Amino acid sequence: MESRQVPQKSIQTFFSILKDYINQQEMDTFATPMTEELLDDLCYLGAIHSVAPVLYYMFRKREKELVDLWPEQMNWLRQQYIFAVTRSINQEIGKKEIQEAFRSQGIPVIFFKGIQIRSYYPVPETRTMGDLDCLIREEDRSRAHEIMTDLGYSCSADQGNVWVYSKGMVVIEMHSRIAGNNISNGVDYMQFFSDAMNRTIEEDEELCLKKEYHFCFLIYHIAKHLSSTGAGVRMFMDLVIFLKHYGMAFDKEEEERLLKEASLDKVAVTIGNLCNRWFGFWWGIEEMPEEVLNELEEYVVAGGTFGFATHNIGDVYRRKSYEKPGTGRDTEQKRTIKMFWHYLFPGKEYMSMFIPGVKKQTWLLPAAWVKRGWIGLFRRRQHTFSTIRSMTKNDGNRSYREYQMLKKIGL
């Protein structure tokens, strides 16, 4: 879907509808009179932020009226809703099947992120997701793989900390560590969240991450995506719905301690301010410059679920070229060299996906670079050249503004 500018009034209506959904308020009338242009804008925002099923659910009481006026848009929303419900049913069946199979073999498995938060939504089926994330112990990997293949899943990725399985409409990302990427603040998040299997509690006969620990991870997850191509509105909705679900049972002091320990307290303040602006809910708001909040809002709203409506991986490498400037003012040529250096020779944390031992044995880095280069040239050639093209075509001024904005919010 081609990206486009959306008028501010349409954006305000979009957030008004989502806020009513979160608060379980029926939307009998629209704050802004519905027009075809407004409905087009809402469909576009619903599509890029993966919340179209929520919009259809909120329109249900006025469906006949809206279908008579604008059948094409309403039929599209209905199709999105039906697909979301169908996929949700299949995903829940897959989740239960995996839980039962692992339980019978005495292997703990923890589902987290979207599949866990979905159950807290007013209408769980409207929380869309492309895959289900679960966590196992590294020592259980081979046994877990046998169980998944016995259940009829095919494995499309079997290296590193995340193995990917699929069967029909169900895609599983099976992690041995929940955090895989660091952000530019010097914290080793793979290590910080390495004890996830020991931070669990049983809820409704399911093994889950403890709520404060899980919430801290969700903040990290948004921060990671903001530092990359972008994080969409759905991730922010998840946080508000998560907090509303636990209410007074949520330990705010423990959460603040975890966020501070993880050096995520500053970005959490920014995320909280946006959540409060859009959905009218957070556990305590600290004032921050409106200018920064407006910049972040524009970045999030325009980008969509993972920012792909306006950004690609080339933007990430271009922003990296502004990090750690040398003496004097970097020229465009120097930044281009730095950008391609980051792309061609990533650090050991990233390269551990190609050779796991590289994190402890740095001398293996050249071999990992060669392996990654071979895969990029012969197995992912199209993706490789697409990334290189995007790195040379992107708007350097925009990348610099975003780099500055991310620095201001602690990233």
Side-chain angles (χ1 to χ4, degrees), residues 113-131:
K113 284 200 307 188
I115 186 60
Q116 180 68 21
I117 299 168
R118 166 187 276 169
S119 62
Y120 309 155
Y121 267 58
V123 182
E125 295 80 6
T126 60
R127 203 307 187 171
T128 59
M129 66 193 76
D131 53 60

Side-chain angles (χ1 to χ4, degrees), residues 229 312-319 339 387 390-391 394 399:
T229 50
N312 53 46
I313 196 65
D315 292 283
V316 180
Y317 287 108
R318 186 165 285 281
R319 286 203 299 262
M339 176 174 64
T387 299
S390 71
M391 288 164 64
N394 289 343
S399 296

Side-chain angles (χ1 to χ4, degrees), residues 116 120 201-208 211 245-246:
Q116 180 68 21
Y120 309 155
I201 191 171
E202 193 166 295
E203 289 186 10
D204 300 325
E205 299 182 350
E206 288 186 19
L207 200 58
C208 308
K211 51 187 176 296
H245 172 76
Y246 285 107

